Amino acid sequence: MTNRLAGAISPYLRAHAENPVDWFPWGPEAFAEARRRDVPVIVSIGYATCHWCHVMARESFSDPAVAALMNERFVSIKVDREEHPDVDAAYLSAASAFTEGLGWPLTVFATSSGRAFFAGTYFPPVASGGRPSFTQILDAVADAWTERRAEVESDAGKVGEALAAAAARATTASELPDGRALDAAVDALAETEDPQFGGFGGAPKFPVAPVLGFLLERPAGRALAHRTLRRMADSPLRDPVDGGFFRYATRRDWSDPHYERMLYDNAQLLDAYATAWAQTGEEWAERTADGVAAFLLGVLRRPGGAFASAQDSESVIDGARVEGGYYRVPPAERATLTPPALDEKVLTGWNGFAIGALARAGRILNRPAWIVAAGEAARAVLDTHRRPDGTLGRASVDGAVSEAVATLEDYGGLAGGLLEVALASGDVEAAVTARELVDLCLEAVDGGDCPFGVPGGGDPLLRSTGLAVRVDPSEGAYPSGLTATAAAAHTLFLMTASRRYERAAREAMRLVAGPAAAVPSAFGAALALMSRLEGEPQQLVVVSEPAEGAGSEDPEGLVAAARRHPADLVALVDAPQGEALADAGFELFAARGTRDGLPTAYLCRDFVCRLPVTTPAGL
């Protein structure tokens, strides 16, 4: 049996390389083999730090009898959902047409043309509680393929038709919400607050960082956001030793966490706690932000400066893999244990979220080291993931870049992070590169209402099979690619005064305005951007002399006051950086210099600026 996964970039795929299952990686070869043998396809999707993915691997994929059945009657494909988020989104959408309660591991049965006809998540090795065993599922699907092929093909066709109709409905443009509608979304979220333990809904309970970001944007939502953030900070969802947050809690009171720790959760929560401190000045927000940053920089940061995707939920205790065991021992004893493994995969978009959070939080809380770390991570990702033609790769491990194509999430996430680095440090190159990435997405549009396209067209196999989700507006635990790119475009508008970027951001958000109003808990990042688009934008530029540096404090305290200012955009630059940004086409910085050698603030509303001031009182 050929071991096709041993040389994979993805740690998740490499972890399955020694299975007796004859795995294929995602690609046309697997579907060609299924057509040659006239058998259905199993598309098994998971990720390296997923507990139940580990369980199914131990129970089923390592079992020679189960593997023999899979090899005899199917072609099996193993997919890392983080390496191929577009593949995951396509099959989640297909599976949701006939199966509820989906998650990972995601087990999809498809025709040799790639169309799904049955799906589920974790299947146990032995039937129990009304849930069939994985072997029973395999037998039933194989028999249906052999005995009722026409029905199977018809079901797969109906799923495709349903997906096309749903996609058309999901991307119907609506008017952007006004302030009243946005506050109605706040009220809808408030109705789901858990009054006893905080957070939203019952168990399982997630940190829902995009929703918190939206609530922090709205004056009517800030008290709810602050209350939720404080309860989360004091809950078992956060490890008190190194400050990082777990992915979710299985109980309503935040206890019994699911112990994997994701880069995207902690990046967004760092931003949220820094914003909460800017709004309240309270110590709990600053303390928690410091803890999250320590986790990012001390645990997830890789040699070279970029960030790993996640930390595993399982650790080895007394020779056995145990979920959460590492976190349940006393801190002194923990120091003697091997920490849970990292998924060392560097993802472009997720690194962009972390880069942006560190830069913005570093600016707000006056943590220059965070801003430096953000810049180093940005350079590491660009050096490895950016191709000579300016397009991006999706993932890498130890400098080896995956063949997986970048998604809109990667372009928007990285562009947004680079812009925050530019605003916090005056890095002109970061701003120019961000603009180039967004421009590539604007130029890649292939018709339709969406103002952004994926440079290169996205995954070619998904396109050839008709599975590609043309515009995926859905948001789970972090912004969709559509929202991330629109947010970067909006920031570019605030820096350049180019209405092209503003129009693109508005057009993109019109595609999700209807669903966001109906289900605000699922569109927090989009609603946050819509809130920024709702009013006249406010911009604040503070210019210092190079000797002082944009990140240093000034005797009068103007820079300190500017750090916490609630403007839509806050930039701290020195005078030469401001000139260089203006020369590069970022019009906001034109003619912005110091007065009498003092740090000088320019407060603008929709590019109309007040007279410059040099004191906090003036600001």
Side-chain angles (χ1 to χ4, degrees), residues 184-272:
V186 171
D187 292 340
L189 292 167
E191 290 177 1
T192 68
E193 183 185 17
D194 182 338
Q196 183 175 359
F197 298 108
F200 304 94
K205 190 170 282 184
F206 290 80
V208 291
V211 167
L212 295 172
F214 165 58
L215 293 172
L216 290 166
E217 285 281 344
R218 305 298 302 172
R222 286 172 189 161
L224 173 57
H226 299 158
R227 191 162 60 243
T228 305
L229 286 166
R230 185 161 193 174
R231 287 191 167 185
M232 283 170 45
D234 296 333
S235 78
L237 192 68
R238 175 174 174 263
D239 178 26
V241 176
D242 64 21
F245 280 87
F246 302 111
R247 184 164 173 259
Y248 67 90
T250 62
R251 299 180 184 274
R252 180 185 158 205
D253 64 357
W254 301 104
S255 65
D256 196 14
H258 195 55
Y259 286 95
E260 63 195 279
R261 297 197 286 185
M262 313 306 295
L263 175 61
Y264 56 74
D265 279 330
N266 285 279
Q268 293 175 99
L269 290 172
L270 170 59
D271 189 271

Side-chain angles (χ1 to χ4, degrees), residues 370-397:
W370 299 0
I371 301 172
V372 171
E376 291 173 351
R379 287 187 290 275
V381 172
L382 288 168
D383 287 348
T384 304
H385 289 201
R386 199 178 193 204
R387 302 188 181 99
D389 64 357
T391 61
L392 297 173
R394 165 69 180 171
S396 70
V397 173

Side-chain angles (χ1 to χ4, degrees), residues 70-71 102 106 194 220 233 243 293 308 335 349 354 415 478 545 563 575 582 612:
M70 295 173 68
N71 296 341
L102 292 171
L106 178 64
D194 182 338
Y478 55 91
E545 289 299 322
R563 293 182 188 282

Side-chain angles (χ1 to χ4, degrees), residues 313-326 336-341:
S313 61
E314 297 185 351
S315 53
V316 178
I317 307 292
D318 296 328
R321 288 182 67 91
V322 181
E323 188 191 15
Y326 177 81
T336 67
L337 301 175
T338 301

Side-chain angles (χ1 to χ4, degrees), residues 5 11 29 43-44 64 67 84 95 133 144 161 195 229 256 294 296 308 310 334 348 401 407 419 442 450 480 537 559:
L5 305 187
E29 294 81 5
V43 183
S44 176
H84 292 280
S133 70
E161 293 170 4
L229 286 166
D256 196 14
L296 292 174
R334 186 195 292 192
T348 302
V401 182
T407 65
L419 290 171
L442 289 169
C450 185
S480 69
V559 175

Side-chain angles (χ1 to χ4, degrees), residues 225-227 229-230 233 273 276 280 282-289:
H226 299 158
R227 191 162 60 243
L229 286 166
R230 185 161 193 174
Y273 281 100
T280 69
E282 295 187 10
E283 187 270 340
W284 61 265
E286 181 179 17
R287 181 185 69 248
T288 309

